Amino acid sequence: MQPPPQSKDAIGLPDFSGFGLIDGFAKLPSERTKLESLCEIRRTSLDEATRTVEMALQLVSESADPAKAIRLHNASATVYLFKGDTTNAIAQFEQALRIGEAHSTESKNLAAMMTIDLAALGIAHMRRGEVENCVTNRNADVCIFPLTAAARHSLRSGSERAIEYFKRYLEREPSSLEVRWLLNLTYQTLGEYPDKVPKAYLIPPAAFESKENIGRFVDIAPSLGLDTVDAAGASIVDDFDNDGFLDVVETSFDPCQPMHAFRNIGDGTFSDVTTRSQLAEQLGGINAVQTDYNNDGWLDIFVMRGGWEWPMRNSLLRNNGNGTFSDVTREAGLLSIDHPTHSAAWADFDNDGWLDVFIGHERTPSQLFRNKGDGTFEDVSARARVNQVAFTKGVTWGDYDDDGYPDLYVSNYGTENFLYHNRRDGTFEEVAAQLGVAQPQWSFPTWFWDYDNDGKLDLFVSSYFFSNGEWVRPYLGLAREGDSMKLYRNSGNGKFADVTKETGLDRSVAAMGANFGDLDNDGFLDFYLGTGAPTYTALMPNLMFRNQSGKSFVEISSSTGTGHLQKGHGVSFADLDNDGDEDIFENLGGAVPGDKYNSVLFSNPGHGNNWISIKLVGSKSNRAAIGAKIKVTLKGPGGETGIRYREVSSGGSFGSSPLMQHIGIGKATRITSIEVTCPTSGTRQEFNNVQPNQFIEIKEFAKGYEKRRIRRITWKPVDGGHRHMHTTP
């Protein structure tokens, strides 16, 4: 199941990934509750596509039907690219080009097909160079845009051949922004940018510079054993064993690949506990989010499957409190095989103290499941009036009107979005168009947040528009043609204002994964977009945006070293080393097996600002305290005051950050008060004169807070420029 089409390249440039071709041979088995059967679908569809194309090639006559022969050689090549076999893919594209050159004068169609094959060969050679230098022989700098000297390809032939074909293509299609971008990028891999780039196709170096510099974030995942090779998966960073150290859980879109779990030992190392935790039995999963559905104090996991492809079952994985997880989907009443699912989020929509879940489906009615408090759920979608049909890509809960009940925003791809206002009687009213928050049309990640620290939840919705090299336009100073991401400021009284332009975010981005956090501990929330598409032509940097005191945002991907060119999915902001600033863990890789990549962990260099980490524990409210509100009042060295607001929320699009709240407070030297409002009881707790730079725990109804004794972990350079960790008291 592919997403709705966007506009196409001027001459119909395909994506070359083979995604649609392979899926065209998929046949769903009668038994769809077993995850192994979904893996078998992928394997058999790939085998069937390979056999079909090979048989057709044996029967076709190049002279009698050159167009068909070209199409079949191209199909064979895309199958090889799907597998990651660039050598045979190149051979097939070359054969198609040879036929096109021999017959191009016979028709305009054959000439156009030959032109496409020039682009295909450029991409295949570029991909070969990418695998040889970035995937196989990676370091902390490879694939980080713009490419530094340390990222240059030592094995040059892939890029050199790619340049030849890209230039030949641009001679025929000079307006192609995609190929122009790839040409500039390929010259960068050889260290020949900008000097050797033909002037007609040059993208000026100044276009890639960051306007601000808060320090470079270095990828330390390889030295920690966290550089798992995944395909389009999710990430969760949270404390699954309640030892005070943040663990890492990942999924993969590949239905044959298991989940991965890494326990943070706290001594500077991680342990791969995938098998011991029983998560190795969980195959595939395009998204995942943590929850505590049974209020036992141990974080559980909900895994989503089937987005963009076939209906697959989801999994509710109960944390047993002993390092293992059990699949309780069936007995919980959440087992379904009829919905391709991409997104889900948890909240207590009826304020009964138990977390409920909204599951966003694609082309089938979405579902709201009410937690009955006995380990089971009931489908209340129709009664609640939230069962509309859309190609849903992102969901988020937030109490935007501050009435004590969480509201629900649903991001859809190809149609208007939904904002379901909670009527506090078990039903919702859809008000997105009424409040002016139904756009963009091509939406993906979304979240509620208070970006300007005024105490009211604002709304962010990213666009997912990648056709015609749309991501290139900002670097050339060209006006966007696709949908912009949207930032809606909460004006109060249940209303929103579109502030996208005035905050500097009027830009089309192809964001799949995304998340937010406070990079520099100034108290204002920044965000990171994991970009990409299931196509080999869409090779673009992931994007980091810094919040400028709640007034605007500035892109700082280049200066921070976070502009990774591999396709971004799960993004988690988390203080993994307990040093008081948030690092960024990201699951990378494309949707096809031949486009997998290693996960990265960008270590925060630190910025000298103060902070507070707050873990909330519900009693009458849900144990995870999702929906709780925090107000932190500050006093600075000169007597100046400030306020920071947070609301505990479930994870969203591909990536989940810890439920405990990391709050930067800038140069403030004293926290005059922390106010917590619990969702179910409505209890308001206040704690005065709290020292900054510490980890604390606040329990619902408690008169005081508890200081958490969390050891700090620091990085230590070792041979080869790699790093490992050791603990300090």
Side-chain angles (χ1 to χ4, degrees), residues 286-535:
I286 194 171
N287 200 358
V289 64
Q290 78 271 48
T291 183
D292 186 0
Y293 80 96
N294 56 0
N295 283 337
D296 66 351
W298 297 91
L299 290 176
D300 316 295
I301 301 172
F302 186 68
V303 183
M304 292 142 272
R305 299 183 178 91
W308 286 26
E309 208 162 22
W310 322 292
M312 302 180 186
R313 79 168 181 89
N314 303 318
S315 295
L316 177 62
L317 307 176
R318 184 187 67 213
N319 189 334
N320 298 317
N322 60 1
T324 67
F325 291 81
S326 296
D327 192 330
V328 296
T329 315
R330 187 186 297 274
E331 51 258 54
L334 294 177
L335 182 65
S336 173
I337 61 173
D338 300 320
H339 305 281
T341 303
H342 183 279
S343 53
W346 294 76
D348 184 6
F349 82 89
D350 54 0
N351 273 341
D352 66 351
W354 298 91
L355 288 173
D356 317 296
V357 61
F358 180 87
I359 305 175
H361 300 310
E362 298 176 345
R363 296 197 175 112
T364 61
S366 291
Q367 294 173 289
L368 175 62
F369 287 92
R370 178 180 174 272
N371 193 331
K372 297 165 67 175
D374 59 0
T376 67
F377 295 79
E378 61 174 327
D379 188 343
V380 296
S381 314
R383 184 167 76 238
R385 304 174 187 172
V386 295
N387 59 338
Q388 296 193 63
V389 178
F391 203 82
T392 296
K393 307 308 292 182
V395 297
T396 183
W397 292 93
D399 183 12
Y400 76 86
D401 58 352
D402 203 27
D403 65 353
Y405 283 76
D407 310 293
L408 175 66
Y409 190 82
V410 179
S411 167
N412 302 314
Y413 190 73
T415 58
E416 290 190 338
N417 304 320
F418 309 139
L419 175 56
Y420 293 111
H421 175 244
N422 193 332
R423 300 178 65 184
R424 299 181 289 178
D425 60 359
T427 68
F428 293 78
E429 178 186 7
E430 206 289 294
V431 295
Q434 176 184 334
L435 298 185
V437 296
Q439 297 298 315
Q441 181 180 3
W442 305 96
S443 298
F444 215 124
T446 184
W447 57 72
F448 283 107
W449 62 342
D450 187 0
Y451 82 93
D452 54 358
N453 278 315
D454 67 351
K456 300 183 289 291
L457 282 182
D458 313 298
L459 179 62
F460 176 87
V461 197
S462 183
S463 63
Y464 183 65
F465 197 95
F466 58 88
S467 292
N468 300 324
E470 182 70 28
W471 69 91
V472 187
R473 303 185 72 84
Y475 301 106
L476 293 171
L478 301 175
R480 64 176 176 85
E481 293 185 347
D483 279 340
S484 169
M485 54 182 152
K486 289 290 187 180
L487 179 60
Y488 298 107
R489 183 178 180 272
N490 193 328
S491 306
N493 300 316
K495 298 181 180 180
F496 290 89
D498 186 343
V499 294
T500 308
K501 287 186 178 180
E502 64 191 75
T503 54
L505 298 180
D506 189 23
R507 175 172 174 178
S508 290
V509 291
M512 299 183 295
N515 216 325
F516 63 91
D518 188 357
L519 292 172
D520 52 1
N521 279 340
D522 67 348
F524 290 90
L525 293 169
D526 317 294
F527 68 96
Y528 186 55
L529 302 179
T531 62
T535 162

Side-chain angles (χ1 to χ4, degrees), residues 55 91 115 136 155 208 356 450 502 525 546 576 655 667:
M55 290 176 60
T115 302
T136 306
L155 301 174
F208 307 136
D356 317 296
D450 187 0
E502 64 191 75
L525 293 169
R546 181 175 183 252
L576 274 154
K667 300 301 181 184

Side-chain angles (χ1 to χ4, degrees), residues 151-169:
R152 292 172 187 170
H153 290 189
S154 58
L155 301 174
R156 298 170 57 91
S157 62
S159 290
E160 289 172 344
R161 295 299 306 278
I163 287 172
E164 294 175 22
Y165 288 112
F166 287 150
K167 290 197 294 188
R168 289 176 63 185
Y169 178 89

Side-chain angles (χ1 to χ4, degrees), residues 2 17-19 23 42 82 230-233 252-255 286 307-309 464 512 532-536 567 569 588-597 654:
Q2 290 288 310
S17 71
F19 194 105
D23 272 9
R42 169 62 59 80
F82 185 92
D230 283 311
S252 175
F253 180 77
D254 187 341
I286 194 171
W308 286 26
E309 208 162 22
Y464 183 65
M512 299 183 295
T535 162
Y536 280 118
K567 298 174 176 63
H569 293 269
L588 297 171
V592 304
D595 200 18
K596 294 179 179 180
Y597 196 74
F654 287 128

